PDB file of all heavy atoms in Angstrom:
ATOM      1  N   ASP A 140      -4.949  35.885  -0.261  1.00  0.00           N
ATOM      2  CA  ASP A 140      -5.937  36.810  -0.811  1.00  0.00           C
ATOM      3  C   ASP A 140      -7.033  35.975  -1.448  1.00  0.00           C
ATOM      4  O   ASP A 140      -6.804  35.313  -2.447  1.00  0.00           O
ATOM      5  CB  ASP A 140      -5.285  37.727  -1.857  1.00  0.00           C
ATOM      6  CG  ASP A 140      -6.262  38.738  -2.436  1.00  0.00           C
ATOM      7  OD1 ASP A 140      -7.487  38.611  -2.194  1.00  0.00           O
ATOM      8  OD2 ASP A 140      -5.789  39.637  -3.145  1.00  0.00           O
ATOM      9  N   PRO A 141      -8.264  35.965  -0.877  1.00  0.00           N
ATOM     10  CA  PRO A 141      -9.326  35.112  -1.404  1.00  0.00           C
ATOM     11  C   PRO A 141      -9.750  35.453  -2.819  1.00  0.00           C
ATOM     12  O   PRO A 141     -10.455  34.690  -3.451  1.00  0.00           O
ATOM     13  CB  PRO A 141     -10.476  35.296  -0.416  1.00  0.00           C
ATOM     14  CG  PRO A 141     -10.180  36.527   0.324  1.00  0.00           C
ATOM     15  CD  PRO A 141      -8.701  36.738   0.261  1.00  0.00           C
ATOM     16  N   THR A 142      -9.339  36.599  -3.370  1.00  0.00           N
ATOM     17  CA  THR A 142      -9.711  36.943  -4.739  1.00  0.00           C
ATOM     18  C   THR A 142      -8.767  36.301  -5.747  1.00  0.00           C
ATOM     19  O   THR A 142      -9.034  36.304  -6.933  1.00  0.00           O
ATOM     20  CB  THR A 142      -9.708  38.470  -4.934  1.00  0.00           C
ATOM     21  OG1 THR A 142      -8.396  38.963  -4.702  1.00  0.00           O
ATOM     22  CG2 THR A 142     -10.725  39.130  -4.008  1.00  0.00           C
ATOM     23  N   GLU A 143      -7.635  35.791  -5.289  1.00  0.00           N
ATOM     24  CA  GLU A 143      -6.688  35.137  -6.184  1.00  0.00           C
ATOM     25  C   GLU A 143      -6.806  33.620  -6.025  1.00  0.00           C
ATOM     26  O   GLU A 143      -7.224  33.115  -5.002  1.00  0.00           O
ATOM     27  CB  GLU A 143      -5.250  35.533  -5.822  1.00  0.00           C
ATOM     28  CG  GLU A 143      -4.947  36.991  -5.962  1.00  0.00           C
ATOM     29  CD  GLU A 143      -3.527  37.297  -5.517  1.00  0.00           C
ATOM     30  OE1 GLU A 143      -2.739  36.355  -5.312  1.00  0.00           O
ATOM     31  OE2 GLU A 143      -3.216  38.469  -5.371  1.00  0.00           O
ATOM     32  N   THR A 144      -6.419  32.893  -7.051  1.00  0.00           N
ATOM     33  CA  THR A 144      -6.343  31.443  -6.960  1.00  0.00           C
ATOM     34  C   THR A 144      -4.966  31.116  -6.413  1.00  0.00           C
ATOM     35  O   THR A 144      -3.961  31.445  -7.043  1.00  0.00           O
ATOM     36  CB  THR A 144      -6.520  30.788  -8.343  1.00  0.00           C
ATOM     37  OG1 THR A 144      -7.769  31.209  -8.875  1.00  0.00           O
ATOM     38  CG2 THR A 144      -6.460  29.280  -8.244  1.00  0.00           C
ATOM     39  N   PRO A 145      -4.901  30.496  -5.221  1.00  0.00           N
ATOM     40  CA  PRO A 145      -3.591  30.224  -4.657  1.00  0.00           C
ATOM     41  C   PRO A 145      -2.858  29.156  -5.481  1.00  0.00           C
ATOM     42  O   PRO A 145      -3.463  28.234  -6.012  1.00  0.00           O
ATOM     43  CB  PRO A 145      -3.892  29.717  -3.253  1.00  0.00           C
ATOM     44  CG  PRO A 145      -5.334  29.345  -3.249  1.00  0.00           C
ATOM     45  CD  PRO A 145      -5.977  30.076  -4.366  1.00  0.00           C
ATOM     46  N   VAL A 146      -1.565  29.310  -5.605  1.00  0.00           N
ATOM     47  CA  VAL A 146      -0.710  28.343  -6.297  1.00  0.00           C
ATOM     48  C   VAL A 146       0.184  27.709  -5.245  1.00  0.00           C
ATOM     49  O   VAL A 146       0.938  28.415  -4.575  1.00  0.00           O
ATOM     50  CB  VAL A 146       0.150  29.036  -7.381  1.00  0.00           C
ATOM     51  CG1 VAL A 146       1.060  28.038  -8.066  1.00  0.00           C
ATOM     52  CG2 VAL A 146      -0.744  29.748  -8.380  1.00  0.00           C
ATOM     53  N   PRO A 147       0.107  26.400  -5.081  1.00  0.00           N
ATOM     54  CA  PRO A 147       0.949  25.789  -4.062  1.00  0.00           C
ATOM     55  C   PRO A 147       2.422  25.918  -4.430  1.00  0.00           C
ATOM     56  O   PRO A 147       2.791  25.849  -5.594  1.00  0.00           O
ATOM     57  CB  PRO A 147       0.512  24.325  -4.040  1.00  0.00           C
ATOM     58  CG  PRO A 147      -0.408  24.131  -5.196  1.00  0.00           C
ATOM     59  CD  PRO A 147      -0.723  25.466  -5.775  1.00  0.00           C
ATOM     60  N   SER A 148       3.239  26.127  -3.429  1.00  0.00           N
ATOM     61  CA  SER A 148       4.669  26.264  -3.675  1.00  0.00           C
ATOM     62  C   SER A 148       5.394  24.922  -3.597  1.00  0.00           C
ATOM     63  O   SER A 148       6.562  24.862  -3.922  1.00  0.00           O
ATOM     64  CB  SER A 148       5.272  27.251  -2.670  1.00  0.00           C
ATOM     65  OG  SER A 148       5.044  26.772  -1.354  1.00  0.00           O
ATOM     66  N   VAL A 149       4.691  23.875  -3.176  1.00  0.00           N
ATOM     67  CA  VAL A 149       5.290  22.539  -3.134  1.00  0.00           C
ATOM     68  C   VAL A 149       4.298  21.552  -3.742  1.00  0.00           C
ATOM     69  O   VAL A 149       3.100  21.761  -3.712  1.00  0.00           O
ATOM     70  CB  VAL A 149       5.635  22.096  -1.692  1.00  0.00           C
ATOM     71  CG1 VAL A 149       6.720  22.948  -1.097  1.00  0.00           C
ATOM     72  CG2 VAL A 149       4.415  22.075  -0.811  1.00  0.00           C
ATOM     73  N   THR A 150       4.833  20.488  -4.292  1.00  0.00           N
ATOM     74  CA  THR A 150       3.979  19.434  -4.834  1.00  0.00           C
ATOM     75  C   THR A 150       3.532  18.546  -3.691  1.00  0.00           C
ATOM     76  O   THR A 150       4.360  18.080  -2.907  1.00  0.00           O
ATOM     77  CB  THR A 150       4.770  18.596  -5.861  1.00  0.00           C
ATOM     78  OG1 THR A 150       5.273  19.478  -6.860  1.00  0.00           O
ATOM     79  CG2 THR A 150       3.902  17.518  -6.484  1.00  0.00           C
ATOM     80  N   PRO A 151       2.220  18.286  -3.569  1.00  0.00           N
ATOM     81  CA  PRO A 151       1.776  17.442  -2.470  1.00  0.00           C
ATOM     82  C   PRO A 151       2.301  16.017  -2.640  1.00  0.00           C
ATOM     83  O   PRO A 151       2.438  15.537  -3.760  1.00  0.00           O
ATOM     84  CB  PRO A 151       0.251  17.474  -2.562  1.00  0.00           C
ATOM     85  CG  PRO A 151      -0.095  18.239  -3.781  1.00  0.00           C
ATOM     86  CD  PRO A 151       1.145  18.765  -4.396  1.00  0.00           C
ATOM     87  N   PRO A 152       2.602  15.370  -1.543  1.00  0.00           N
ATOM     88  CA  PRO A 152       3.101  14.000  -1.641  1.00  0.00           C
ATOM     89  C   PRO A 152       1.998  13.035  -2.065  1.00  0.00           C
ATOM     90  O   PRO A 152       0.818  13.309  -1.867  1.00  0.00           O
ATOM     91  CB  PRO A 152       3.561  13.687  -0.210  1.00  0.00           C
ATOM     92  CG  PRO A 152       2.735  14.594   0.638  1.00  0.00           C
ATOM     93  CD  PRO A 152       2.493  15.829  -0.171  1.00  0.00           C
ATOM     94  N   THR A 153       2.401  11.950  -2.695  1.00  0.00           N
ATOM     95  CA  THR A 153       1.452  10.899  -3.051  1.00  0.00           C
ATOM     96  C   THR A 153       1.039  10.195  -1.775  1.00  0.00           C
ATOM     97  O   THR A 153       1.871   9.831  -0.960  1.00  0.00           O
ATOM     98  CB  THR A 153       2.124   9.892  -4.007  1.00  0.00           C
ATOM     99  OG1 THR A 153       2.586  10.623  -5.138  1.00  0.00           O
ATOM    100  CG2 THR A 153       1.152   8.822  -4.444  1.00  0.00           C
ATOM    101  N   LEU A 154      -0.257   9.987  -1.599  1.00  0.00           N
ATOM    102  CA  LEU A 154      -0.763   9.405  -0.373  1.00  0.00           C
ATOM    103  C   LEU A 154      -1.023   7.904  -0.490  1.00  0.00           C
ATOM    104  O   LEU A 154      -1.768   7.339   0.276  1.00  0.00           O
ATOM    105  CB  LEU A 154      -2.037  10.123   0.065  1.00  0.00           C
ATOM    106  CG  LEU A 154      -1.864  11.606   0.367  1.00  0.00           C
ATOM    107  CD1 LEU A 154      -3.188  12.224   0.755  1.00  0.00           C
ATOM    108  CD2 LEU A 154      -0.845  11.795   1.480  1.00  0.00           C
ATOM    109  N   THR A 155      -0.404   7.264  -1.472  1.00  0.00           N
ATOM    110  CA  THR A 155      -0.552   5.822  -1.599  1.00  0.00           C
ATOM    111  C   THR A 155       0.275   5.147  -0.516  1.00  0.00           C
ATOM    112  O   THR A 155       1.479   5.356  -0.440  1.00  0.00           O
ATOM    113  CB  THR A 155      -0.058   5.345  -2.982  1.00  0.00           C
ATOM    114  OG1 THR A 155      -0.759   6.072  -3.973  1.00  0.00           O
ATOM    115  CG2 THR A 155      -0.263   3.850  -3.150  1.00  0.00           C
ATOM    116  N   PRO A 156      -0.353   4.336   0.353  1.00  0.00           N
ATOM    117  CA  PRO A 156       0.424   3.695   1.412  1.00  0.00           C
ATOM    118  C   PRO A 156       1.373   2.663   0.829  1.00  0.00           C
ATOM    119  O   PRO A 156       1.053   1.970  -0.123  1.00  0.00           O
ATOM    120  CB  PRO A 156      -0.634   3.025   2.292  1.00  0.00           C
ATOM    121  CG  PRO A 156      -1.859   2.955   1.464  1.00  0.00           C
ATOM    122  CD  PRO A 156      -1.748   3.994   0.404  1.00  0.00           C
ATOM    123  N   THR A 157       2.550   2.610   1.381  1.00  0.00           N
ATOM    124  CA  THR A 157       3.518   1.606   0.969  1.00  0.00           C
ATOM    125  C   THR A 157       3.787   0.698   2.153  1.00  0.00           C
ATOM    126  O   THR A 157       3.936   1.163   3.285  1.00  0.00           O
ATOM    127  CB  THR A 157       4.841   2.258   0.515  1.00  0.00           C
ATOM    128  OG1 THR A 157       5.303   3.105   1.549  1.00  0.00           O
ATOM    129  CG2 THR A 157       4.655   3.058  -0.752  1.00  0.00           C
ATOM    130  N   PRO A 158       3.819  -0.626   1.917  1.00  0.00           N
ATOM    131  CA  PRO A 158       4.063  -1.539   3.030  1.00  0.00           C
ATOM    132  C   PRO A 158       5.460  -1.341   3.604  1.00  0.00           C
ATOM    133  O   PRO A 158       6.422  -1.173   2.865  1.00  0.00           O
ATOM    134  CB  PRO A 158       3.944  -2.926   2.399  1.00  0.00           C
ATOM    135  CG  PRO A 158       3.338  -2.711   1.055  1.00  0.00           C
ATOM    136  CD  PRO A 158       3.597  -1.298   0.670  1.00  0.00           C
ATOM    137  N   THR A 159       5.529  -1.335   4.897  1.00  0.00           N
ATOM    138  CA  THR A 159       6.810  -1.270   5.582  1.00  0.00           C
ATOM    139  C   THR A 159       6.759  -2.253   6.734  1.00  0.00           C
ATOM    140  O   THR A 159       5.714  -2.798   7.059  1.00  0.00           O
ATOM    141  CB  THR A 159       7.077   0.142   6.143  1.00  0.00           C
ATOM    142  OG1 THR A 159       6.111   0.409   7.146  1.00  0.00           O
ATOM    143  CG2 THR A 159       7.034   1.201   5.068  1.00  0.00           C
ATOM    144  N   ALA A 160       7.895  -2.444   7.353  1.00  0.00           N
ATOM    145  CA  ALA A 160       7.951  -3.356   8.497  1.00  0.00           C
ATOM    146  C   ALA A 160       7.031  -2.879   9.613  1.00  0.00           C
ATOM    147  O   ALA A 160       6.561  -3.669  10.405  1.00  0.00           O
ATOM    148  CB  ALA A 160       9.385  -3.480   8.996  1.00  0.00           C
ATOM    149  N   SER A 161       6.767  -1.574   9.654  1.00  0.00           N
ATOM    150  CA  SER A 161       5.935  -1.060  10.735  1.00  0.00           C
ATOM    151  C   SER A 161       4.455  -0.959  10.347  1.00  0.00           C
ATOM    152  O   SER A 161       3.655  -0.535  11.149  1.00  0.00           O
ATOM    153  CB  SER A 161       6.451   0.310  11.175  1.00  0.00           C
ATOM    154  OG  SER A 161       6.345   1.218  10.100  1.00  0.00           O
ATOM    155  N   THR A 162       4.104  -1.315   9.089  1.00  0.00           N
ATOM    156  CA  THR A 162       2.708  -1.275   8.693  1.00  0.00           C
ATOM    157  C   THR A 162       1.950  -2.360   9.448  1.00  0.00           C
ATOM    158  O   THR A 162       2.275  -3.536   9.332  1.00  0.00           O
ATOM    159  CB  THR A 162       2.562  -1.499   7.175  1.00  0.00           C
ATOM    160  OG1 THR A 162       3.268  -0.481   6.492  1.00  0.00           O
ATOM    161  CG2 THR A 162       1.097  -1.470   6.762  1.00  0.00           C
ATOM    162  N   PRO A 163       0.962  -1.993  10.241  1.00  0.00           N
ATOM    163  CA  PRO A 163       0.258  -3.017  11.018  1.00  0.00           C
ATOM    164  C   PRO A 163      -0.608  -3.896  10.128  1.00  0.00           C
ATOM    165  O   PRO A 163      -1.160  -3.449   9.136  1.00  0.00           O
ATOM    166  CB  PRO A 163      -0.593  -2.215  11.990  1.00  0.00           C
ATOM    167  CG  PRO A 163      -0.733  -0.870  11.368  1.00  0.00           C
ATOM    168  CD  PRO A 163       0.474  -0.657  10.504  1.00  0.00           C
ATOM    169  N   VAL A 164      -0.673  -5.159  10.459  1.00  0.00           N
ATOM    170  CA  VAL A 164      -1.584  -6.099   9.809  1.00  0.00           C
ATOM    171  C   VAL A 164      -2.563  -6.567  10.866  1.00  0.00           C
ATOM    172  O   VAL A 164      -2.258  -6.554  12.054  1.00  0.00           O
ATOM    173  CB  VAL A 164      -0.831  -7.302   9.193  1.00  0.00           C
ATOM    174  CG1 VAL A 164       0.066  -6.858   8.052  1.00  0.00           C
ATOM    175  CG2 VAL A 164      -0.023  -8.035  10.238  1.00  0.00           C
ATOM    176  N   PRO A 165      -3.738  -6.983  10.453  1.00  0.00           N
ATOM    177  CA  PRO A 165      -4.706  -7.415  11.451  1.00  0.00           C
ATOM    178  C   PRO A 165      -4.262  -8.695  12.146  1.00  0.00           C
ATOM    179  O   PRO A 165      -3.522  -9.500  11.586  1.00  0.00           O
ATOM    180  CB  PRO A 165      -5.988  -7.643  10.655  1.00  0.00           C
ATOM    181  CG  PRO A 165      -5.649  -7.511   9.234  1.00  0.00           C
ATOM    182  CD  PRO A 165      -4.249  -7.024   9.115  1.00  0.00           C
ATOM    183  N   LEU A 166      -4.742  -8.877  13.354  1.00  0.00           N
ATOM    184  CA  LEU A 166      -4.498 -10.106  14.093  1.00  0.00           C
ATOM    185  C   LEU A 166      -5.057 -11.265  13.290  1.00  0.00           C
ATOM    186  O   LEU A 166      -6.155 -11.194  12.750  1.00  0.00           O
ATOM    187  CB  LEU A 166      -5.191 -10.043  15.455  1.00  0.00           C
ATOM    188  CG  LEU A 166      -5.106 -11.305  16.318  1.00  0.00           C
ATOM    189  CD1 LEU A 166      -3.668 -11.598  16.707  1.00  0.00           C
ATOM    190  CD2 LEU A 166      -5.988 -11.161  17.545  1.00  0.00           C
ATOM    191  N   GLY A 167      -4.293 -12.342  13.199  1.00  0.00           N
ATOM    192  CA  GLY A 167      -4.786 -13.520  12.506  1.00  0.00           C
ATOM    193  C   GLY A 167      -3.654 -14.403  12.023  1.00  0.00           C
ATOM    194  O   GLY A 167      -2.507 -14.279  12.452  1.00  0.00           O
ATOM    195  N   VAL A 168      -4.013 -15.310  11.106  1.00  0.00           N
ATOM    196  CA  VAL A 168      -3.086 -16.314  10.605  1.00  0.00           C
ATOM    197  C   VAL A 168      -3.248 -16.423   9.097  1.00  0.00           C
ATOM    198  O   VAL A 168      -4.373 -16.356   8.585  1.00  0.00           O
ATOM    199  CB  VAL A 168      -3.380 -17.699  11.239  1.00  0.00           C
ATOM    200  CG1 VAL A 168      -2.312 -18.696  10.897  1.00  0.00           C
ATOM    201  CG2 VAL A 168      -3.532 -17.596  12.744  1.00  0.00           C
ATOM    202  N   THR A 169      -2.135 -16.608   8.384  1.00  0.00           N
ATOM    203  CA  THR A 169      -2.186 -16.889   6.950  1.00  0.00           C
ATOM    204  C   THR A 169      -1.423 -18.177   6.669  1.00  0.00           C
ATOM    205  O   THR A 169      -0.522 -18.562   7.415  1.00  0.00           O
ATOM    206  CB  THR A 169      -1.588 -15.748   6.107  1.00  0.00           C
ATOM    207  OG1 THR A 169      -0.265 -15.481   6.545  1.00  0.00           O
ATOM    208  CG2 THR A 169      -2.430 -14.493   6.208  1.00  0.00           C
ATOM    209  N   ILE A 170      -1.807 -18.838   5.566  1.00  0.00           N
ATOM    210  CA  ILE A 170      -1.211 -20.105   5.148  1.00  0.00           C
ATOM    211  C   ILE A 170      -0.374 -19.868   3.902  1.00  0.00           C
ATOM    212  O   ILE A 170      -0.770 -19.098   3.023  1.00  0.00           O
ATOM    213  CB  ILE A 170      -2.301 -21.142   4.818  1.00  0.00           C
ATOM    214  CG1 ILE A 170      -3.150 -21.451   6.040  1.00  0.00           C
ATOM    215  CG2 ILE A 170      -1.694 -22.420   4.238  1.00  0.00           C
ATOM    216  CD1 ILE A 170      -4.354 -22.341   5.747  1.00  0.00           C
ATOM    217  N   ALA A 171       0.752 -20.581   3.806  1.00  0.00           N
ATOM    218  CA  ALA A 171       1.550 -20.579   2.583  1.00  0.00           C
ATOM    219  C   ALA A 171       1.953 -22.011   2.253  1.00  0.00           C
ATOM    220  O   ALA A 171       2.326 -22.775   3.150  1.00  0.00           O
ATOM    221  CB  ALA A 171       2.795 -19.712   2.748  1.00  0.00           C
ATOM    222  N   MET A 172       1.819 -22.352   0.988  1.00  0.00           N
ATOM    223  CA  MET A 172       2.307 -23.612   0.429  1.00  0.00           C
ATOM    224  C   MET A 172       2.936 -23.248  -0.916  1.00  0.00           C
ATOM    225  O   MET A 172       2.622 -22.197  -1.484  1.00  0.00           O
ATOM    226  CB  MET A 172       1.167 -24.616   0.235  1.00  0.00           C
ATOM    227  CG  MET A 172       0.560 -25.133   1.531  1.00  0.00           C
ATOM    228  SD  MET A 172      -0.755 -26.367   1.247  1.00  0.00           S
ATOM    229  CE  MET A 172       0.230 -27.827   0.862  1.00  0.00           C
ATOM    230  N   PRO A 173       3.806 -24.097  -1.454  1.00  0.00           N
ATOM    231  CA  PRO A 173       4.456 -23.731  -2.713  1.00  0.00           C
ATOM    232  C   PRO A 173       3.540 -23.806  -3.937  1.00  0.00           C
ATOM    233  O   PRO A 173       3.893 -23.297  -4.993  1.00  0.00           O
ATOM    234  CB  PRO A 173       5.612 -24.724  -2.834  1.00  0.00           C
ATOM    235  CG  PRO A 173       5.237 -25.866  -1.975  1.00  0.00           C
ATOM    236  CD  PRO A 173       4.378 -25.312  -0.874  1.00  0.00           C
ATOM    237  N   SER A 174       2.360 -24.420  -3.820  1.00  0.00           N
ATOM    238  CA  SER A 174       1.472 -24.550  -4.972  1.00  0.00           C
ATOM    239  C   SER A 174       0.062 -24.878  -4.504  1.00  0.00           C
ATOM    240  O   SER A 174      -0.160 -25.232  -3.343  1.00  0.00           O
ATOM    241  CB  SER A 174       1.982 -25.669  -5.893  1.00  0.00           C
ATOM    242  OG  SER A 174       1.142 -25.830  -7.016  1.00  0.00           O
ATOM    243  N   HIS A 175      -0.862 -24.786  -5.455  1.00  0.00           N
ATOM    244  CA  HIS A 175      -2.229 -25.249  -5.220  1.00  0.00           C
ATOM    245  C   HIS A 175      -2.449 -26.603  -5.899  1.00  0.00           C
ATOM    246  O   HIS A 175      -3.467 -27.238  -5.675  1.00  0.00           O
ATOM    247  CB  HIS A 175      -3.250 -24.238  -5.738  1.00  0.00           C
ATOM    248  CG  HIS A 175      -3.327 -22.999  -4.902  1.00  0.00           C
ATOM    249  ND1 HIS A 175      -4.043 -22.928  -3.724  1.00  0.00           N
ATOM    250  CD2 HIS A 175      -2.761 -21.776  -5.063  1.00  0.00           C
ATOM    251  CE1 HIS A 175      -3.929 -21.723  -3.207  1.00  0.00           C
ATOM    252  NE2 HIS A 175      -3.155 -21.006  -3.994  1.00  0.00           N
ATOM    253  N   ASP A 176      -1.506 -27.012  -6.757  1.00  0.00           N
ATOM    254  CA  ASP A 176      -1.584 -28.289  -7.469  1.00  0.00           C
ATOM    255  C   ASP A 176      -0.233 -28.990  -7.394  1.00  0.00           C
ATOM    256  O   ASP A 176       0.788 -28.407  -7.764  1.00  0.00           O
ATOM    257  CB  ASP A 176      -1.956 -28.060  -8.936  1.00  0.00           C
ATOM    258  CG  ASP A 176      -3.372 -27.563  -9.093  1.00  0.00           C
ATOM    259  OD1 ASP A 176      -4.295 -28.358  -8.825  1.00  0.00           O
ATOM    260  OD2 ASP A 176      -3.558 -26.390  -9.471  1.00  0.00           O
ATOM    261  N   PHE A 177      -0.243 -30.233  -6.924  1.00  0.00           N
ATOM    262  CA  PHE A 177       0.989 -31.001  -6.765  1.00  0.00           C
ATOM    263  C   PHE A 177       0.962 -32.242  -7.649  1.00  0.00           C
ATOM    264  O   PHE A 177      -0.092 -32.857  -7.834  1.00  0.00           O
ATOM    265  CB  PHE A 177       1.175 -31.419  -5.295  1.00  0.00           C
ATOM    266  CG  PHE A 177       1.365 -30.255  -4.374  1.00  0.00           C
ATOM    267  CD1 PHE A 177       0.282 -29.698  -3.702  1.00  0.00           C
ATOM    268  CD2 PHE A 177       2.613 -29.689  -4.190  1.00  0.00           C
ATOM    269  CE1 PHE A 177       0.447 -28.618  -2.859  1.00  0.00           C
ATOM    270  CE2 PHE A 177       2.789 -28.601  -3.353  1.00  0.00           C
ATOM    271  CZ  PHE A 177       1.702 -28.063  -2.682  1.00  0.00           C
ATOM    272  N   THR A 178       2.138 -32.582  -8.168  1.00  0.00           N
ATOM    273  CA  THR A 178       2.313 -33.820  -8.913  1.00  0.00           C
ATOM    274  C   THR A 178       3.600 -34.490  -8.434  1.00  0.00           C
ATOM    275  O   THR A 178       4.404 -33.876  -7.709  1.00  0.00           O
ATOM    276  CB  THR A 178       2.407 -33.571 -10.434  1.00  0.00           C
ATOM    277  OG1 THR A 178       3.512 -32.697 -10.696  1.00  0.00           O
ATOM    278  CG2 THR A 178       1.133 -32.948 -10.983  1.00  0.00           C
ATOM    279  N   GLU A 179       3.798 -35.725  -8.840  1.00  0.00           N
ATOM    280  CA  GLU A 179       4.978 -36.488  -8.429  1.00  0.00           C
ATOM    281  C   GLU A 179       6.256 -35.670  -8.663  1.00  0.00           C
ATOM    282  O   GLU A 179       6.435 -35.065  -9.716  1.00  0.00           O
ATOM    283  CB  GLU A 179       5.045 -37.787  -9.239  1.00  0.00           C
ATOM    284  CG  GLU A 179       6.246 -38.639  -8.915  1.00  0.00           C
ATOM    285  CD  GLU A 179       6.285 -39.927  -9.731  1.00  0.00           C
ATOM    286  OE1 GLU A 179       5.301 -40.247 -10.417  1.00  0.00           O
ATOM    287  OE2 GLU A 179       7.322 -40.607  -9.665  1.00  0.00           O
ATOM    288  N   GLY A 180       7.112 -35.626  -7.643  1.00  0.00           N
ATOM    289  CA  GLY A 180       8.384 -34.925  -7.733  1.00  0.00           C
ATOM    290  C   GLY A 180       8.343 -33.473  -7.283  1.00  0.00           C
ATOM    291  O   GLY A 180       9.389 -32.842  -7.126  1.00  0.00           O
TER     292      GLY A 180
END
């Protein structure tokens, strides 16, 4: 009824994407090293 304010009967889900194994990443390459600064040992 357009004269009433509709009340949803369910709470809408949060649309924040969460990373999963199936979340696509762009084609490319990334680098990993244990630090940006190294010292003896």
Side-chain angles (χ1 to χ4, degrees):
D140 182 349
T142 62
E143 298 177 11
T144 303
V146 178
S148 59
V149 294
T150 304
T153 303
L154 299 179
T155 305
T157 54
T159 65
S161 63
T162 300
V164 294
L166 176 64
V168 189
T169 55
I170 298 173
M172 292 182 78
S174 180
H175 288 279
D176 291 291
F177 296 94
T178 59
E179 179 180 351

